[in-house]
Amino acid sequence: MSWNRRSTLNRMVGRGVRAGVVALAVALAAPLAGAQAQTHAQPTEGPGLAVVKPRASLADWDPVTEDKWAFENGQVILTEPGTAQPGPRRPFEYAVVTKGPELGSLTYRAEVRIDEAVAVSNRDVILVWNYQSPTRFYYAHLSTDNTIYPHNGIFVVNDADRLRIDHQWNGTVGAAPSITDAEWHDVRLDYNARTGAIAVYLDGADEPRMTATDTTFSGGRFGFGSFDNFGRIRDVTVAGVRHR
């Protein structure tokens, strides 16, 4: 189901990554519901702020492998698993939103679904942000499994194999599994570029599923994909501070 922007704004007050400028950006997004600006990936003008709602179209998304993606019924769909790319160990397949400005502090809201069979224990989708190049970005890994290093956590790729940075991983187990079914799930990612605070919320929960603190990067583009599975995303809205 689609999320109610007014309720979301009220829930955000006083919680999440408490960056006032991000809260202001989300407030800026609320009046846009149903407006033409919401149907395109052009940012909303503001004092250093932008709200980006990309269309489900190749015009707005740049995949690693175009043939593996479909864009239909308002959904951005990774139709099959990607293949490992040369260089550092990192997610195999994703698409980055190319319209609008690069963003620093942000709130990334969307609905996601994993299309890999529920019986597959390592199934996942990822949210990407601060994307600067194929070997420089952050991603949140939303998985059915939480018992091995690469699964269900927050990671940074910095010209080296992905590094796990979430607070929940204790060397044996991480945060509770994020997605264990074939249903749509509401996800929100808050990021504060100044402090490096990161929080990932699922299905309107008051407490984050995952948290991290990292200042390796301070801005870039956002996207969606999977490490080595497949799934889809819809109703994407990202509100944040212009980085460039």
Side-chain angles (χ1 to χ4, degrees), residues 24-221:
L24 180 58
V26 175
L28 184 61
L32 295 178
Q36 183 177 1
Q38 283 281 20
T39 65
H40 298 283
Q42 298 304 317
T44 298
E45 297 301 324
L49 306 177
V51 178
V52 182
K53 186 173 178 66
R55 298 166 294 183
S57 166
L58 270 174
D60 291 356
W61 296 79
D62 182 22
V64 173
T65 311
E66 184 176 324
D67 292 345
K68 295 182 182 294
W69 293 80
F71 301 85
E72 56 190 40
N73 300 320
Q75 300 175 23
V76 177
I77 307 166
L78 175 56
T79 61
E80 61 182 274
T83 55
Q85 302 297 310
R89 182 73 172 174
R90 63 194 191 278
F92 294 176
E93 188 66 36
Y94 52 84
V96 174
V97 173
T98 56
K99 299 294 185 180
E102 294 185 10
L103 298 174
S105 296
L106 58 77
T107 290
Y108 183 161
R109 285 298 306 254
E111 291 184 338
V112 300
R113 191 178 90 185
I114 301 177
D115 291 340
E116 183 76 75
V118 174
V120 177
S121 64
N122 68 345
R123 57 204 291 270
D124 77 276
V125 291
I126 64 168
L127 298 182
V128 174
W129 76 103
N130 271 7
Y131 182 89
Q132 298 180 359
S133 78
T135 59
R136 291 172 61 84
F137 58 93
Y138 290 114
Y139 69 95
H141 188 273
L142 308 177
S143 178
T144 297
D145 177 69
N146 69 338
T147 62
I148 66 173
Y149 180 87
H151 292 171
N152 207 56
I154 300 173
F155 299 81
V156 59
V157 179
N158 185 19
D159 293 327
D161 290 355
R162 42 81 173 106
L163 175 67
R164 186 161 191 158
I165 58 174
D166 57 282
H167 302 134
Q168 287 67 38
W169 177 249
N170 65 9
T172 302
V173 69
S178 296
I179 300 176
T180 60
D181 54 28
E183 304 301 318
W184 288 98
H185 292 271
D186 181 80
V187 62
R188 184 181 106 225
L189 184 151
D190 292 340
Y191 166 68
N192 184 316
R194 181 180 61 82
T195 66
I198 302 162
V200 179
Y201 296 84
L202 287 166
D203 297 320
D206 290 332
E207 298 298 324
R209 181 66 53 95
M210 308 170 192
T211 58
T213 304
D214 189 86
T215 56
T216 302
F217 307 127
S218 61
R221 298 197 172 275

